[in-house]
Amino acid sequence: MLHSKIASEKEESKYVFKPDTSATPIFGSLESDVVLPRTEIRKESMKADIAYQLISDEMMHDGNPRYNLCTFVQTYMEPQAKQVMADTMATNAIDKAEYPQTTEVEKRCVNIISKLWHAPSNENYMGTSTVGSSEACMLGGMAMKFRWRKRAQALGIDTTKRKPNLIVSSGFQVVWEKFCVYWDIEMRQVPMTDMNNLRMDIKAAIDQCDEYTIGIVPIMGITYTGTFDDIVALDGALTEYNKTAKISVPIHVDAASGGLYLPFVNPDLVWDFRLKNVVSISTSGHKYGLVYPGIGWVLWRDKEYLPEELTFKVAYLGAFEPTFQINFSRSGSQIWAQYYNFVRWGFDGYKAVHERTRDVGLFLSKSLRELGIFDILNEGTNIPIVCWKLKDGLNKKWDLYDLADRLRYNGWQVPAYPLPANFTDVSIMRIVVRADQSMEQMSLFIKDLSGAIEALDKSHIVEHKENTDETGKRIPTGYTH
Ligand SMILES: *Cc1c(COP(=O)(O)O)cnc(C)c1O
């Protein structure tokens, strides 16, 4: 209302804006002279080029993804990859009959990933793309729940007496908490005991198993520090446990970050379907799969592990195709982009990109160490995630939260956040090194970091005292999961 009033007053005023023509500059147009709608749709339309300009100006207020050093998620793709995505934006991945080639390409990706994860040739793997690891984890968890219930009922266990439970280390990503809440599962957290090697205590995990356990979820790359759970040890311990257990306990590996990194860089590390208790694995295509956000993958080693009642049939090439996803319609473009990457890079290309990313991570941890005030919690040899804390006893007037703030002056987004249970009084900073962070960019970052430290050392005012929650715990300064 207000805007149209101003506009109509302007029309009557002496300094009338002429009706817009193609010669009117965007910022001289009547349409640009408005505040964009916050709560209600505008009555009037506006020209596409003006709308585009105003909307892209809104985007400026987001951080620049390339400066975002805390996300695991891909922030750069080649122009050709973007073209592939733009070309396929209008396809709907669920319309298998209308877009059979999208379905075919999705299947090819599943096949490719099944080989990278060593799905045994004498079993019939199944898999699907998802929106991300979160949906993939949910599907893995649901399959374990349904399979547990069926087996438990067959064994005469009263499945209504107690909630089924899931075992995960306290370094879990928030999706597992969501899964347990949404599907009414008791979450059993295994506390971690070594700050310098945050990983699941295998014995403690097995001790928590009982006949209501649907599965154990080890993580290949815990979000806090990037450490890996020891899945070989877990598999061995479960094999023993399962020998006498009333109901066997399977493993779902949450390989959101490691799943499309390790097969290329460290193929000898055993964590996948080579271990027989590993029944399903999930990963994010948009992390080290190098695709823009919006894609994940989940695979089961055999269809036995994906209960039939979770699959639905949709028409596909004159027959029916099973689907098992939580959402229905979504663009096929991320699937095509994943396939583009597989075709474009091949095994050697992925290996080269990831190894170079690792080199940048190692350069970063070396440079951080040289500053003399940080302890490095993860160097990035396993996966290019670098974490550090301030050395004890430094007697600085500032902390990592102040440093995170200061780095924003130069555009860098690097969060500070507390470690999980048992170590919540320790705060760390983390950089997830990605393919688009060159050695040059990281050396600029180190320069800015040194400058920030110097500035904080000299400053009188240090902020943040109030930046704690009601329990006095620090509030993270950015994305931590
Ligand atoms: C990122 C991550 C997730 C969630 O993945 P999205 O693809 O963002 O949904 C789950 N688990 C772990 C270990 C992660 O690092």
Side-chain angles (χ1 to χ4, degrees):
M1 276 299 277
L2 183 67
H3 313 318
S4 28
K5 188 157 170 280
I6 292 171
S8 60
E9 276 167 8
K10 277 207 176 121
E11 272 155 26
E12 287 160 19
S13 83
K14 212 166 114 207
Y15 308 101
V16 263
F17 277 74
K18 296 247 163 47
D20 294 333
T21 67
S22 58
T24 313
I26 285 178
F27 292 115
S29 65
L30 274 174
E31 287 122 306
S32 73
D33 206 16
V34 295
V35 173
L36 295 184
R38 304 294 197 266
T39 53
E40 272 176 69
I41 190 164
R42 268 163 52 92
K43 185 172 178 311
E44 307 84 4
S45 325
M46 69 170 72
K47 281 191 196 129
D49 54 350
I50 299 175
Y52 177 78
Q53 184 62 50
L54 297 183
I55 293 297
S56 39
D57 286 0
E58 294 275 317
M59 293 174 204
M60 295 194 304
H61 300 279
D62 271 343
N64 178 340
R66 302 289 305 282
Y67 271 125
N68 181 354
L69 303 187
C70 44
T71 182
F72 286 79
V73 173
Q74 188 63 19
T75 48
Y76 171 82
M77 288 188 86
E78 297 176 314
Q80 292 85 345
K82 288 191 192 172
Q83 190 61 50
V84 165
M85 294 184 82
D87 293 349
T88 50
M89 203 95 83
T91 61
N92 184 354
I94 199 73
D95 282 351
K96 312 250 175 226
E98 289 75 11
Y99 306 112
Q101 205 58 21
T102 303
T103 308
E104 164 66 18
V105 161
E106 179 181 17
K107 287 181 180 182
R108 290 181 193 175
C109 290
V110 168
N111 293 339
I112 288 169
I113 296 170
S114 79
K115 302 295 179 304
L116 294 173
W117 292 348
H118 303 94
S121 55
N122 58 348
E123 293 180 77
N124 295 308
Y125 62 83
M126 302 272 283
T128 182
S129 72
T130 58
V131 177
S133 273
S134 298
E135 188 189 5
C137 293
M138 296 270 175
L139 291 169
M142 275 161 63
M144 290 197 294
K145 180 182 180 184
F146 277 67
R147 190 168 155 265
W148 165 81
R149 192 167 54 199
K150 227 196 280 182
R151 290 182 303 146
Q153 281 165 348
L155 289 165
I157 296 169
D158 180 359
T159 55
T160 58
K161 201 172 95 194
R162 274 167 44 199
K163 271 190 192 187
N165 64 71
L166 177 90
I167 296 170
V168 65
S169 85
S170 55
F172 65 87
Q173 207 268 357
V174 66
V175 62
W176 292 107
E177 199 174 352
K178 279 195 195 171
F179 167 72
C180 290
V181 171
Y182 292 177
W183 273 272
D184 210 17
I185 308 272
E186 177 196 338
M187 184 182 205
R188 293 193 175 167
Q189 289 185 41
V190 189
M192 293 185 288
T193 47
D194 178 1
M195 184 177 76
N196 292 305
N197 193 7
L198 287 177
R199 45 165 40 182
M200 182 186 275
D201 178 335
I202 304 298
K203 189 176 168 305
I206 302 289
D207 286 349
Q208 302 222 34
C209 291
D210 59 26
E211 68 237 45
Y212 287 81
T213 303
I214 64 169
I216 302 190
V217 177
I219 304 167
M220 284 317 266
I222 79 159
T223 15
Y224 291 90
T225 57
T227 33
F228 297 152
D229 284 330
D230 184 348
I231 307 184
V232 171
L234 177 64
D235 182 68
L238 264 185
T239 301
E240 277 310 303
Y241 173 87
N242 286 341
K243 274 184 192 157
T244 54
K246 199 157 176 192
I247 184 160
S248 68
V249 172
I251 297 174
H252 172 93
V253 182
D254 177 354
S257 51
L260 289 173
Y261 180 84
L262 292 171
F264 301 107
V265 176
N266 195 352
D268 295 333
L269 185 75
V270 176
W271 61 274
D272 53 16
F273 291 128
R274 282 169 283 187
L275 302 171
K276 80 175 187 347
N277 293 300
V278 172
V279 299
S280 48
I281 304 176
S282 53
T283 195
S284 301
H286 52 224
K287 292 186 177 174
Y288 289 104
L290 308 178
V291 181
Y292 278 143
I295 189 150
W297 300 94
V298 56
L299 270 69
W300 291 264
R301 68 184 300 136
D302 189 84
K303 54 180 187 308
E304 176 194 338
Y305 301 102
L306 177 65
E308 246 182 21
E309 53 281 28
L310 291 180
T311 65
F312 291 82
K313 307 253 185 302
V314 299
Y316 173 56
L317 297 182
F320 290 98
E321 179 74 11
T323 70
F324 29 96
Q325 283 154 331
I326 293 174
N327 70 299
F328 194 69
S329 298
R330 101 188 132 97
S331 169
S333 59
Q334 267 84 6
I335 296 172
W336 283 97
Q338 182 78 72
Y339 190 58
Y340 168 85
N341 276 355
F342 285 146
V343 170
R344 157 80 170 105
W345 302 114
F347 187 94
D348 291 349
Y350 262 99
K351 184 173 154 72
V353 169
H354 289 344
E355 283 181 348
R356 202 206 48 74
T357 307
R358 185 180 56 182
D359 288 349
V360 174
L362 295 175
F363 164 74
L364 179 66
S365 25
K366 183 167 156 282
S367 313
L368 286 165
R369 184 168 284 123
E370 282 168 6
L371 293 174
I373 56 169
F374 299 125
D375 287 330
I376 312 294
L377 270 75
N378 199 54
E379 276 201 328
T381 37
N382 54 345
I383 195 161
I385 296 174
V386 179
C387 308
W388 65 96
K389 65 183 250 312
L390 275 173
K391 278 189 195 295
D392 293 335
L394 282 179
N395 215 5
K396 296 264 182 213
K397 291 211 181 63
W398 52 268
D399 60 18
L400 293 179
Y401 298 86
D402 302 308
L403 186 57
D405 244 20
R406 185 78 209 184
L407 282 167
R408 284 199 174 237
Y409 287 13
N410 299 98
W412 303 108
Q413 299 169 51
V414 191
Y417 55 94
L419 286 179
N422 279 357
F423 308 105
T424 48
D425 51 340
V426 180
S427 289
I428 66 165
M429 271 187 158
R430 179 194 70 196
I431 288 183
V432 180
V433 186
R434 298 185 309 272
D436 55 310
Q437 287 154 1
S438 60
M439 206 67 102
E440 169 63 16
Q441 286 303 309
M442 281 304 104
S443 61
L444 290 179
F445 168 74
I446 288 291
K447 181 176 137 279
D448 287 343
L449 180 74
S450 312
I453 293 169
E454 214 180 301
L456 285 172
D457 279 344
K458 284 190 201 141
S459 80
H460 294 291
I461 318 146
V462 175
E463 300 167 40
H464 276 134
K465 285 272 179 289
E466 70 285 7
N467 236 356
T468 49
D469 67 12
E470 60 285 355
T471 66
K473 205 172 113 184
R474 284 298 204 163
I475 297 167
T477 52
Y479 166 88
T480 59
H481 283 87

